[in-house]
């Protein structure tokens, strides 16, 4: 029973992924085997972290080289520099209609998205579907994607380094899609795309420009559906933002 209780506590804390094939007993001191100096040196070089700027520069180069959406998806699938790629089950690229002119950008996949390879299919995705249906939108009328295309283990927040190395792929995605309107869902994608760090409660519902794209889409930050599920009082603001979006879509 103690072991069961310890396991449920770990799950409640978000440690719900086995990252290795074999369990590791971290309570035992590791055996110290003598390692030849040459091998130790080579291992240290291989294990040294690649400087962050190099990874971001590489992400930029790989993303820029993709000329179609299929090439971009393949480029991401082969981009193993991001540590999240190693722990995720599937790459979660996008869902919906690439030609719709409306793109929604979330944060990162959760457990259900990781298993299915499709964004926003879990509880917050189903809630978002209902919100969008209320203004006449289904997935044939927009494309939905995420800033981070791999699930962070245990749904932890992505690190700044992970955001920086995934952002070039999102920017390239938007360049290839050429949308008229981009809706960012939540603070993470809003901050990453606009470069501001003002709180999402202040940014939501107000149109902004998205620099660096030609033609330049209009960007509308909205509250994340997972936040709305936790904070029912914020649904009123979300409804106002949906109406703002609908007015822009109706104007064409
Ligand atoms: N939350 C997100 O931001 N994206 C998903 O795909 C699912 C949940």
């Amino acid at each position: 029973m103690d072991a069961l209780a310890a396991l449920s506590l770990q799950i409640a804390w978000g440690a719900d992924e086995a990252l290795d094939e074999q369990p590791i007993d971290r309570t035992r001191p590791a055996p110290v085997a003598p390692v030849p100096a040459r091998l130790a040196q080579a291992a240290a070089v291989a294990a040294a972290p690649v400087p962050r700027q190099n990874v971001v520069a590489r992400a930029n180069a790989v993303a820029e080289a993709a000329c179609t959406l299929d090439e971009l998806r393949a480029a991401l699938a082969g981009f193993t520099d991001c540590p999240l790629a190693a722990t995720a089950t599937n790459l979660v690229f996008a869902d919906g209609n690439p030609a719709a002119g409306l793109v929604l950008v979330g944060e990162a996949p959760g457990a259900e998205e990781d298993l299915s390879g499709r964004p926003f299919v879990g509880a917050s995705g189903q809630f978002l579907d209902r919100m969008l249906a209320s203004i006449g939108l289904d997935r044939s009328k927009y494309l939905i994607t995420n800033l981070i295309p791999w699930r962070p283990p245990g749904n932890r927040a992505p690190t700044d380094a992970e955001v920086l190395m995934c952002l070039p792929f999102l920017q390239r995605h938007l360049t290839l899609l050429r949308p008229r309107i981009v809706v960012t869902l939540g603070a993470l994608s809003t901050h990453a795309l606009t470069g501001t760090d003002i709180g999402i409660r202040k940014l939501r519902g107000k149109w902004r420009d998205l620099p660096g794209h030609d033609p330049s889409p209009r960007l509308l930050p909205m509250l994340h559906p997972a936040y709305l599920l936790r904070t029912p009082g914020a649904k009123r603001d979300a409804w106002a933002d949906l109406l703002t979006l609908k007015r822009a879509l109706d104007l064409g």
Side-chain angles (χ1 to χ4, degrees):
M1 285 319 284
D2 283 355
L4 262 186
L7 265 182
S8 15
L9 182 65
Q10 300 228 4
I11 290 169
W13 281 346
D16 56 358
E17 290 284 312
L19 299 184
D20 282 310
E21 294 294 323
Q22 298 298 327
I24 300 169
D25 184 352
R26 296 192 192 279
T27 59
R28 281 201 186 162
V32 188
V35 179
R38 186 180 48 81
L39 287 185
Q41 220 172 18
V45 171
V50 182
R52 182 195 283 189
Q53 308 89 295
N54 292 1
V55 178
V56 175
R58 230 172 11 226
N60 258 311
V62 172
E64 285 297 311
C67 297
T68 64
L69 295 173
D70 285 344
E71 284 180 16
L72 186 66
R73 179 197 280 264
L76 260 174
F79 188 72
T80 48
D81 286 358
C82 182
L84 297 177
T87 53
T89 314
N90 282 303
L91 169 73
V92 179
F93 185 61
D95 195 24
N97 180 357
L102 170 64
V103 176
L104 274 66
V105 184
E107 301 193 337
E112 280 151 272
E113 290 78 16
D114 178 56
L115 287 179
S116 69
R118 288 176 62 214
F120 283 98
V121 293
S124 60
Q126 289 162 25
F127 178 57
L128 179 68
D129 285 349
R130 286 201 299 277
M131 283 169 52
L132 294 167
S134 73
I135 55 163
L137 297 179
D138 60 30
R139 289 193 184 193
S140 68
K141 303 212 174 76
Y142 59 89
L143 179 127
I144 190 159
T145 185
N146 282 303
L147 168 60
I148 308 285
W150 297 282
R151 181 195 183 203
N155 293 348
R156 67 159 170 75
T159 64
D160 288 351
E162 288 157 358
V163 168
L164 283 174
M165 66 184 84
C166 291
L167 185 56
F169 292 96
L170 174 60
Q171 292 283 20
R172 187 69 186 155
H173 206 161
L174 294 175
T175 301
L176 294 172
L177 290 166
R178 296 167 63 89
R180 199 165 65 77
I181 293 179
V182 174
V183 172
T184 45
L185 299 166
L188 196 71
S189 55
T190 304
H191 291 164
L193 281 176
T194 63
T196 175
D197 59 1
I198 299 170
I200 185 68
R201 303 253 11 173
K202 286 227 169 76
L203 295 171
R204 57 144 279 272
K206 297 187 193 103
W207 291 103
R208 304 178 69 91
D209 290 330
L210 180 57
H213 293 269
D214 184 21
S216 176
R218 296 171 79 203
L219 183 145
L220 184 68
M222 287 184 42
L223 299 171
H224 193 284
Y227 172 79
L228 294 172
L229 285 175
R230 292 192 304 271
T231 323
K235 286 182 185 159
R236 183 193 179 99
D237 289 339
W239 177 240
D241 299 347
L242 281 173
L243 293 181
T244 302
L245 174 62
K246 183 171 169 19
R247 270 194 299 274
L249 292 169
D250 288 349
L251 285 174

